[in-house]
Amino acid sequence: YQYSAVAFVTAGLIGAATVFLLSTFFVFRLPDLPSLKIIEKPFMLLFRNGFYTQLASLTHQLSIRINFYLLGSVAVLPVLQKANLTSKAAIGLYSTAISLAEAILLFSASIATVLGARVANQSDPDKARHLVLQFAKLSFCITLPAIVLFLILPDGFYSGLLGKDFGPVKSIFLFIAPGALCVSLTTVFSHYFSGRGKHYLNAWSGSLALITTLITAWLFIPSMGLIGAGLSATCAYLVMMLFIFTAFLREHGKPTDEWRTLIPTRNDFHEVKGQVIKLFQKLR
């Protein structure tokens, strides 16, 4: 047996290739297989949307994970040694802080999925715009108290929950928290553009986040260590949010009105609640 990342990747590639070859074989055996001219346009549409979706996902994940590799590099060792940390310990602390932020953002991801389904089936662009702004406000207003809760908890809470060496997680999470708030908004607007078929905007925002990470990580992490990694992540999330929200404003040409409608009201929560209930009733 071979216990390595190469073995894992190889097994995955073999499995994917097997599925592809078998499915292709059975597809071409269909008696009423359409001509290539008929399927050319839908195939290119699927390929283009799939490419942008995968690119958006890849760049977003890289913008998050690339800091792990830099924290383990030789260039960061001096600042980690001053904090009495090894590379493995620093990566573990940073990974825990990122996982904590991702756990808080689960609600944002959930309502964004609901929004994507609603937008895809909404023919009126004004109603779709109104809906996405309501969901964005709801996502932000629920994410913010969760982040504040984890920030006011004492270091001893993290040590008792995760282990004695995880006390510094709170100080790292403090610098990731603003970025998590940005993501709570970005996720909603990204699903809006996915529902509208504009996947390329999500790919561009992810690419900008990755470029921002590459620049800020090399600036902050070698001199600031774990704090620099948190700042780098927040900078990437902020750039991603600014791009995707600017694209949303430019799509409708009413930037002043759109900024004003981001202020939450009680009616927003009632309307969003009704939309979610309707969706789950249809799923039943």
Side-chain angles (χ1 to χ4, degrees):
Y1 296 98
Q2 184 181 2
Y3 297 97
S4 67
V6 175
F8 175 79
V9 173
T10 303
L13 290 173
I14 292 174
T18 302
V19 172
F20 174 74
L21 292 173
L22 286 175
S23 59
T24 303
F25 172 75
F26 286 112
V27 165
F28 278 98
R29 290 193 54 166
L30 293 173
D32 53 347
L33 186 67
S35 64
L36 292 177
K37 288 186 178 181
I38 296 177
I39 65 173
E40 181 180 0
K41 287 186 178 180
F43 174 79
M44 291 306 298
L45 177 63
L46 291 172
F47 178 83
R48 184 171 62 252
N49 288 340
F51 172 79
Y52 285 128
T53 301
Q54 291 297 326
L55 181 61
S57 177
L58 178 62
T59 52
H60 177 64
Q61 289 301 318
L62 284 175
S63 65
I64 297 172
R65 308 299 173 190
I66 202 169
N67 289 344
F68 289 98
Y69 299 102
L70 192 53
L71 283 171
S73 68
V74 178
V76 191
L77 281 178
V79 70
L80 293 181
Q81 289 173 348
K82 288 182 181 179
N84 296 319
L85 290 173
T86 63
S87 295
K88 288 186 177 180
I91 292 171
L93 289 170
Y94 183 70
S95 176
T96 304
I98 288 290
S99 298
L100 180 61
E102 290 176 344
I104 294 173
L105 291 169
L106 283 175
F107 176 81
S108 174
S110 300
I111 67 168
T113 303
V114 175
L115 173 69
R118 298 293 299 172
V119 169
N121 293 287
Q122 179 59 257
S123 57
D124 188 342
D126 291 330
K127 289 183 179 179
R129 183 175 70 252
H130 179 68
L131 193 61
V132 72
L133 287 169
Q134 286 184 322
F135 272 72
K137 287 183 278 188
L138 178 65
S139 175
F140 183 86
C141 290
I142 292 183
T143 303
L144 179 60
I147 289 177
V148 171
L149 173 64
F150 280 102
L151 288 177
I152 62 177
L153 290 172
D155 293 346
F157 170 81
Y158 297 97
S159 300
L161 180 66
L162 303 171
K164 63 178 182 178
D165 297 325
F166 284 88
V169 165
K170 178 182 175 180
S171 60
I172 303 167
F173 179 71
L174 175 64
F175 291 90
I176 298 174
L181 278 175
C182 293
V183 175
S184 70
L185 292 172
T186 303
T187 304
V188 173
F189 289 107
S190 295
H191 278 71
Y192 164 77
F193 284 119
S194 295
R196 301 286 290 178
K198 297 184 178 181
H199 304 275
Y200 61 91
L201 290 173
N202 296 331
W204 289 351
S205 68
S207 299
L208 286 174
L210 178 57
I211 293 171
T212 303
T213 301
L214 291 171
I215 296 172
T216 57
W218 285 105
L219 287 175
F220 297 149
I221 296 179
S223 59
M224 303 173 68
L226 287 167
I227 301 302
L231 284 173
S232 174
T234 291
C235 289
Y237 295 148
L238 177 62
V239 168
M240 188 164 55
M241 184 203 71
L242 290 175
F243 174 84
I244 207 73
F245 186 55
T246 302
F248 178 80
L249 295 180
R250 289 175 62 88
E251 184 184 46
H252 303 289
K254 298 178 181 179
T256 305
D257 294 340
E258 303 295 1
W259 278 104
R260 192 182 299 117
T261 52
L262 278 176
I263 302 173
T265 63
R266 182 177 297 181
N267 186 52
D268 291 326
F269 292 93
H270 288 306
E271 288 194 31
V272 170
K273 180 181 177 181
Q275 293 286 346
V276 174
I277 292 174
K278 287 180 181 178
L279 178 63
F280 280 105
Q281 287 176 344
K282 289 181 180 181
L283 292 176
R284 290 179 183 177

